[in-house]
Every structure is written in C-alpha cells, then in structure tokens.
Amino acid sequence: MPFPSRFKHCSNCGAAVDYRVPADDNRERAVCPACHTIHYQNPLNVVGTLPVWEADGRVLLCRRAIEPRYGLWTLPAGFMELGETTAEGALRETQEEAGADVEMGPLYTLLNVVRVGQIHLFYRARLRSPEFNPGPESLEARLFAEDEIPWDEIAFKTTRETLRCFFDDRRQGRAFQLHAIDIP
Amino acid sequence: MPFPSRFKHCSNCGAAVDYRVPADDNRERAVCPACHTIHYQNPLNVVGTLPVWEADGRVLLCRRAIEPRYGLWTLPAGFMELGETTAEGALRETQEEAGADVEMGPLYTLLNVVRVGQIHLFYRARLRSPEFNPGPESLEARLFAEDEIPWDEIAFKTTRETLRCFFDDRRQGRAFQLHAIDIP
Ligand SMILES: [Zn+2]
Ligand SMILES: [Zn+2]
C-alpha cells in the first residue's frame, strides 16, 4: 500500500504536467501547461466488515491470495468504488473475498492510515451461514475464536486494531460504539 | 460537485487510454495500451465540522464565496488532502474557511453522496471564541440559533442533514452519536 505515485502526464490531454501551487491554493498540484487542468490527488477509502458467527462468537478472516501480504490473514476489505455507498462497498468486498452471506450492521471502526493516504472503514456484520466460498483474492476463509486469532500473521494494522477493539468491547460487555483510530 | 470526469490519457506516460475490464477485475477501467498502467477512479472524502458556541448554543455557518452554490450557507468543509487524517482535514477546513478557533470533538455524521462519488464526514467542534476571520472561500462566517438557520439558503444536503440531526438530538436530549446517512 504505497503512497499514491505522482502524476507525470495530464489525464485530460496527455501533456507532461508541471508541479506548482495554483492561484488561490496553498499546495503544490500537478498542473497541465497545455489545457490548464489542475489534477488533485486525494486519500482513498478501504471498506470492509467484521463478520461474526453469533452461534459461537467466532469471527471471519480471509487468507490473502494476492500481494501485498500474500498468505497473511485479513478482515474482508478493499477499495471503495464509484457508484456505491461505504456500506455497499463493504458488503461487496465481503461477498467477493469470502463468499460470505452477511447482514450488515453499523460502522464500527474508522482508521486513518495517513502514511499511505488511506481511510479504512469497518462495519460490524452478522453471518447468516458459517459456509464460505472465497474468491480469487483469498486462499481461504475461516472462522476464528478469540484465542485462535493468528496475531502474528495478520496482514494489516487496521485489521488487528479492529479485532482488538471488538474483543475488548465484548469482554468488557460494552456497547459496540464507533472507534476512531489513527495508525502511526 | 459533478461525478468525476473520465480519464482520457495515461497520467504515467500520456498515451490515450482504452476503457476495458482488466484480467482479474470485474469493472471497466482506464487501461494504458502503452505502459499498461491501470487507472482507478474512486470516491473522494469531504471533511468538515459542526462548530458550536456553547455559551448560547449557536452554530457556525459560512456563506460561500465560490461556485458551486455561491452565496449560500454551509458548514465549513472541503476535500480531504493527502498527509492528514479526517479530523485534521476537518480542522484545517474550519480554520481556512471560517478562521474559527475550535476544539475538535468526535465524528458526528457520515454521509454517502453516491451520485457525485463523495463521502462527507462532519465532526462536532467546540468554538473557543465567537470571533471569526473568514478566508477567501467565504463571504461571511456567523453564528445562528436554531430558529435563525436559513434553511432555504443552505448550499448542500449534507450540511442540512447534519444540522437537522444536531438540532433533533439536542431537542430530544439524546447523546450525539454517529449518524450514517445516504443522500439520494
Ligand atoms: Zn492537459
Ligand atoms: Zn501509460
């Protein structure tokens, strides 16, 4: 998950861009000397779920079949697309990566990962079935009890933090309110 | 706030892009026939605050000095930038647009505006002073009691919905929990 690479050419006309601070702005932007388009680069949203099988309280993780972090475990999540809400994107990723049938719950964690220009949003979700059908991005999808979580093989800090919040809240008997977390 | 316009050229090498579904994908993307870069377009985050002067409960609105919606009123908000968290971006916009000195509170509304490919995030904020110094994007910044809100001159639905949630919650004596709203 590298910081987005800088534009070299104008996506409108193809000319090589200059980097300068436009009038009425205070940051350097990619500006096209030919068609004068200003190109902005902005953070991206990653949306996913924390799917729970309520019969025994186990949570669903997927083992990544793609880089980065091939072979490590993650909550189902991916880049939000145009044309969908954050919750719709989270549901889509859960279906695509785990083939899981879930009922969506409320937003549970919002994690800022400034270093890579990403915001991760995880929704709680209730599994309707303990059967999965992982897609091509996952080697495997399975349920883990708290004491089975492979903490040393978790792909991303945002998954780790979301799991930690959930198990802490549940152990303390707290309501599952939104956790807003900045990842260093 | 139009839906993002489609790329015509590759921002890496400048060649004209094709639109097709890449292997291992299920959506049409801008693909470069020369350098093979795949260009994704994703939703953008708009971040802002709901600043309250607690001495009398009035809220801060800014009158827009720019298009779209020139002359209409809005909560201070703008596009999130790389290198900042959602809360840092919301604070920056509040300083830039209103010149307001605020103490940031928790996230209060998350609004999906799918039609324009945007997610709006508003944080509650406590004004430390009732004096403002609006920047070039605002004609004016001032405090409004609930019965003074210019409901017919609000620039964006996301401002209107956030104000409505706030006055409703306050009137009902409810805790100010997160509201997640989809804007049609
Ligand atoms: Zn250009
Ligand atoms: Zn190219």
Side-chain angles (χ1 to χ4, degrees), chain A residues 10 12-13 32 35:
Chain A
C10 173
N12 184 48
C13 77
C32 179
C35 74

Side-chain angles (χ1 to χ4, degrees), chain A residues 8-9 11 29 45 81 112, chain B residues 8-9 11 29 45 81:
Chain A
K8 294 180 197 149
H9 288 265
S11 60
R29 312 281 182 189
N45 290 339
E81 302 271 9
N112 274 278
Chain B
K8 295 180 196 149
H9 288 264
S11 59
R29 314 281 182 188
N45 290 340
E81 302 270 9

Side-chain angles (χ1 to χ4, degrees), chain B residues 9-15 17 31-37 39:
Chain B
H9 288 264
C10 173
S11 59
N12 185 47
C13 77
V17 294
V31 181
C32 179
C35 76
H36 308 296
T37 302
H39 300 281

